[in-house]
Amino acid sequence: MRPNLILHVIAKFVIPLIILFALYVQFHGDFGPGGGFQAGVIFSAAFILYSLVFGLETAEKIIPHHWLRILASLGVVIYAGVGIESLILGSNYLDYTLLGSNQIAGQHLGILLVELGVGITVAAAMLILFFAFAGRGRE
């Protein structure tokens, strides 16, 4: 496939904006609409756009398969770790009230960490699925 200069320039302009919006949705999720799942999907959409414009092999060089598996696992560990920390502190699983200096700070920190874990796992899982389907027939 012949590279398209206009498509490359537009993608290089749009992809950072998509990633910035994903970060906004990720960290604004406990104050308004959004959260980890939505942010993960938006974040992975940026990389899917990159791979559609610049090629699958180029995208796989940026995020190799083994890193995607590590990131998918890391998100689950963060999510479960928050719950286990709550249990260690003497509360119920995913009861965030004891994580901070007061109840509001604990809930804010707990939700932020859980949503971060969800976002990392969703983004990695979406990219694993995309690379698996897009890479069919290469091997």
Side-chain angles (χ1 to χ4, degrees):
M1 187 169 107
R2 219 174 86 204
N4 187 331
L5 180 63
I6 295 173
L7 201 56
H8 282 203
V9 170
I10 290 173
K12 285 183 179 180
F13 177 73
V14 170
I15 288 171
L17 294 176
I18 294 172
I19 292 173
L20 185 64
F21 183 65
L23 291 173
Y24 170 78
V25 169
Q26 173 71 50
F27 293 110
H28 192 262
D30 53 342
F31 298 113
F37 186 87
Q38 294 87 349
V41 170
I42 295 169
F43 189 79
S44 63
F47 278 93
I48 290 171
L49 174 63
Y50 183 86
S51 67
L52 291 174
V53 172
F54 296 101
L56 191 61
E57 292 81 18
T58 308
E60 287 174 332
K61 287 178 185 172
I62 293 174
I63 302 180
H65 287 282
H66 65 279
W67 275 105
L68 289 174
R69 289 189 201 116
I70 291 171
L71 287 173
S73 303
L74 177 67
V76 174
V77 168
I78 290 172
Y79 186 96
V82 171
I84 291 171
E85 178 70 21
S86 299
L87 288 174
I88 290 172
L89 293 174
S91 185
N92 294 326
Y93 189 77
L94 294 178
D95 184 6
Y96 314 127
T97 56
L98 297 178
L99 294 178
S101 59
N102 58 38
Q103 183 178 3
I104 293 173
Q107 288 181 356
H108 181 72
L109 178 64
I111 291 172
L112 186 73
L113 290 172
V114 164
E115 292 293 331
L116 181 64
V118 170
I120 291 171
T121 297
V122 167
M126 294 285 293
L127 289 175
I128 288 170
L129 287 172
F130 174 75
F131 287 145
F133 283 114
R136 285 184 310 171
R138 283 190 307 180
E139 298 171 15

